[in-house]
């Protein structure tokens, strides 16, 4: 009991920190990208200045100039932007441990996908995270990333391939979190292992009166462009656990492939606008088509295909029997499932009245998707899901 309560609060504290840090990080990174794009060459600017921008905010005007690569001498005070990124990763990693590693049997493993022990799943998750980052890092350092378009296509196929693989090893929810964690790790590592160290080299060169190497600035900029295009997809992956139709339907990996493509396309709209170019309005047409495709793909239903016929008219008694045998061990006033101490999300599925009341939620989580039972721990069958779907289709009466 106490352990369960403690992890619940730890989960809240770290999620709170994670979301706030991520807002700070994304806010400042979008701000700087927009600022960079809006810089205009001006008259009478100091030597070494690439451009200036005027902005108005909080009751005053700002005149901002950007030195490329650096001013002639070190300023006496310099603000760095890095703790937003580091805090996001550190709190996110603790959260992964609390939610996915400590409760791997529910949220990381799905025995009907692959029969892993929680330890195996945890090691797989951590190992593939490190490996995927190393591969990305090697690709960038080898100079491949300088060929922007082939690198973007290669990177995209790499992430889609990983997603396909993860959805065939872990639970849908675990796989989505895993791919999000990999993208997030790549982004933070870009700050930690390239952008900031290069910035420090530039500062060190200035302090000893040398001219900083332009390549240091260029490498940092390259990684920051990658981060810009990865931001929107990672957000969808991180909130996907609230959407059973997203992570727990048959073509969940194809949905991720669409999201990974839509994010950069939408960023392109804002990047063009901030650079003062004509706005590419077609972006919203593509975004709408992508969302329609996601909608249709999610309608394919749960992962396991139902073979055999489902009766056109389903008795409520049959539905009640299924829910009581597959759900009520957790969703009851006094759950009997090991690690569950109170009904999850206060949802009771222990009698006919409750089942009626939560009919649509049961549909989204267990009939039109396989989000529940988590990791399919109570071994609900495709035929049972189809039976509930048929009951819902005929008006969910009793
Ligand atoms: C092993 C225990 C367990 C079983 C069995 C189980 N659930 Fe759950 N259920 C959970 C947990 C844990 C959560 C909270 C998930 C989270 O934190 O995101 C949950 C959440 C839910 C939610 C709320 C989702 C939301 O929108 O937040 C619904 C609805 C639900 N379950 C329905 C079902 C149905 C229907 C079944 C049977 C087919 C079922 N559950 C079986 C543990 C269980």
């Amino acid at each position: 009991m106490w352990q369960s309560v403690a992890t619940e609060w730890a989960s809240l504290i770290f999620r709170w920190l994670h979301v706030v840090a991520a807002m700070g990080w994304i806010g400042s990174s979008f701000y700087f990208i927009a600022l960079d794009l809006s810089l205009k060459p001006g008259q009478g600017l100091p030597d070494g200045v690439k451009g200036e921008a005027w902005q108005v905010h909080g009751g005053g005007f700002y005149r901002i100039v950007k030195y490329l690569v650096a001013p002639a001498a070190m300023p006496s005070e310099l603000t760095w932007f890095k703790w937003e990124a580091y805090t996001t990763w550190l709190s996110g990693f603790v959260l992964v441990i609390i939610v996915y590693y400590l409760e791997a049997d529910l949220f990381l493993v799905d025995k009907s996908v692959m029969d892993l022990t929680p330890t195996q799943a945890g090691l797989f998750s951590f190992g593939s995270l490190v490996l995927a980052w190393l591969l990305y890092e090697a690709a960038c350092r080898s100079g491949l990333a300088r060929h922007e378009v082939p690198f973007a296509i290669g990177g995209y196929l790499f992430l889609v391939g990983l997603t396909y693989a993860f959805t065939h090893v872990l639970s849908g929810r675990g796989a989505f979190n895993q791919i999000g964690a990999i993208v997030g790790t790549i982004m933070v590592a870009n700050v930690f292992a390239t952008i900031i160290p290069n910035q420090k080299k530039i500062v060190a060169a200035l302090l000893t009166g040398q001219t900083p190497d332009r390549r240091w600035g260029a490498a940092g900029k390259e990684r920051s462009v990658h981060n810009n295009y990865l931001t929107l997809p990672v957000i969808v992956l991180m909130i996907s656990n609230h959407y059973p139709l997203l992570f727990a339907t048959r073509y969940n990996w194809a949905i991720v492939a669409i999201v990974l493509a839509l994010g950069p396309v939408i960023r392109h709209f804002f990047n063009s606008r901030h650079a003062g170019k004509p706005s590419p309005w077609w972006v919203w047409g593509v975004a709408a088509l992508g969302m329609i495709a996601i909608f249709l793909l999610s309608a394919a239903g749960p992962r396991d295909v139902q073979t055999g016929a489902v009766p056109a008219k389903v008795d409520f008694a049959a539905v009640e029997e299924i829910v009581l045998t597959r759900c009520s061990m957790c969703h009851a006033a006094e759950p009997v499932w090991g690690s569950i101490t109170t009904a999850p999300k206060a949802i009771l599925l222990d009698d006919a009245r409750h089942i009626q009341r939560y009919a649509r939620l049961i549909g989204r989580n267990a009939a039109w998707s396989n989000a529940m039972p988590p990791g399919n721990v109570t071994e609900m069958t495709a035929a049972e899901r189809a039976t509930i779907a048929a009951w819902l289709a005929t008006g969910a009466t009793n």
Side-chain angles (χ1 to χ4, degrees), residues 194-215:
T194 301
I195 299 175
I196 294 292
N198 282 10
Q199 212 69 265
K200 289 206 166 132
K201 284 189 213 160
I202 293 172
V203 167
L206 282 179
L207 286 175
T208 54
Q210 291 163 328
T211 320
D213 191 332
R214 286 196 154 269
R215 280 174 307 177

Side-chain angles (χ1 to χ4, degrees), residues 353-371:
R353 197 170 49 92
H354 288 136
I355 295 170
Q356 280 287 347
R357 179 198 296 173
Y358 293 121
R360 300 188 64 77
L361 272 177
I362 296 174
R364 279 204 292 277
N365 284 278
W368 310 316
S369 88
N370 51 273

Side-chain angles (χ1 to χ4, degrees), residues 79-375:
T79 307
W80 291 77
F81 291 85
K82 56 183 184 187
W83 280 105
E84 298 88 338
Y86 301 168
T87 311
T88 305
W89 192 87
L90 292 170
S91 54
F93 190 68
V94 175
L95 208 49
V96 164
I97 294 176
I98 295 173
V99 178
Y100 288 92
Y101 293 177
L102 292 184
E103 286 192 287
D105 55 334
L106 292 185
F107 297 128
L108 202 54
V109 178
D110 185 334
K111 285 196 191 312
S112 52
V113 174
M114 195 180 273
D115 195 356
L116 298 175
T117 64
T119 312
Q120 286 169 332
L123 288 175
F124 171 82
S125 156
F126 188 71
S128 59
L129 181 89
V130 175
L131 193 65
W133 170 63
L134 286 176
L135 285 172
Y136 164 82
E137 196 61 31
C140 287
R141 297 212 174 195
S142 70
L144 280 179
R146 277 200 291 276
H147 309 281
E148 278 179 11
V149 174
F151 185 79
I153 296 173
Y156 175 77
L157 294 177
F158 173 62
L159 289 178
V160 173
L162 283 185
T163 308
Y164 185 82
F166 293 149
T167 52
H168 290 76
V169 177
L170 303 172
S171 70
R173 183 174 158 167
F176 272 48
N177 184 72
Q178 178 69 10
I179 196 79
I182 285 176
V183 176
T185 299
I186 286 175
M187 291 171 64
V188 176
N190 279 341
V191 177
F192 180 74
T194 301
I195 299 175
I196 294 292
N198 282 10
Q199 212 69 265
K200 289 206 166 132
K201 284 189 213 160
I202 293 172
V203 167
L206 282 179
L207 286 175
T208 54
Q210 291 163 328
T211 320
D213 191 332
R214 286 196 154 269
R215 280 174 307 177
W216 297 335
K221 181 73 195 161
E222 178 183 281
R223 303 301 183 96
S224 120
V225 169
H226 294 176
N227 281 7
N228 181 354
Y229 287 119
L230 291 172
T231 306
L232 294 183
V234 87
I235 302 286
V236 174
L237 291 165
M238 288 304 166
I239 59 174
S240 65
N241 64 321
H242 297 289
Y243 297 92
L245 299 183
L246 212 57
F247 70 82
T249 45
R250 203 174 310 153
Y251 300 114
N252 53 3
W253 63 273
I255 293 178
V256 173
I258 296 175
V259 169
L260 285 171
L262 284 189
V265 170
I266 294 172
R267 281 308 293 157
H268 173 67
F269 176 82
F270 291 100
N271 291 343
S272 304
R273 249 175 117 80
H274 294 151
K277 295 185 198 148
S279 302
W281 292 105
W282 57 264
V283 158
W284 300 111
V286 174
L289 287 179
M291 286 313 296
I292 293 170
I294 289 175
F295 172 86
L296 294 174
L297 282 169
S298 74
R303 187 188 51 247
D304 294 325
V305 187
Q306 149 69 4
T307 48
V310 176
K313 182 88 185 86
V314 175
D315 260 2
F316 179 67
V319 171
E320 191 179 3
E321 167 79 18
I322 295 170
V323 174
L324 290 182
T325 50
R326 305 295 184 197
C327 317
S328 67
M329 53 286 283
C330 296
H331 291 280
E334 288 182 13
V336 292
W337 189 270
S339 58
I340 308 275
T341 46
T342 51
K345 306 276 174 201
I347 291 180
L348 295 172
L349 299 171
D350 52 354
D351 64 25
R353 197 170 49 92
H354 288 136
I355 295 170
Q356 280 287 347
R357 179 198 296 173
Y358 293 121
R360 300 188 64 77
L361 272 177
I362 296 174
R364 279 204 292 277
N365 284 278
W368 310 316
S369 88
N370 51 273
M372 282 290 142

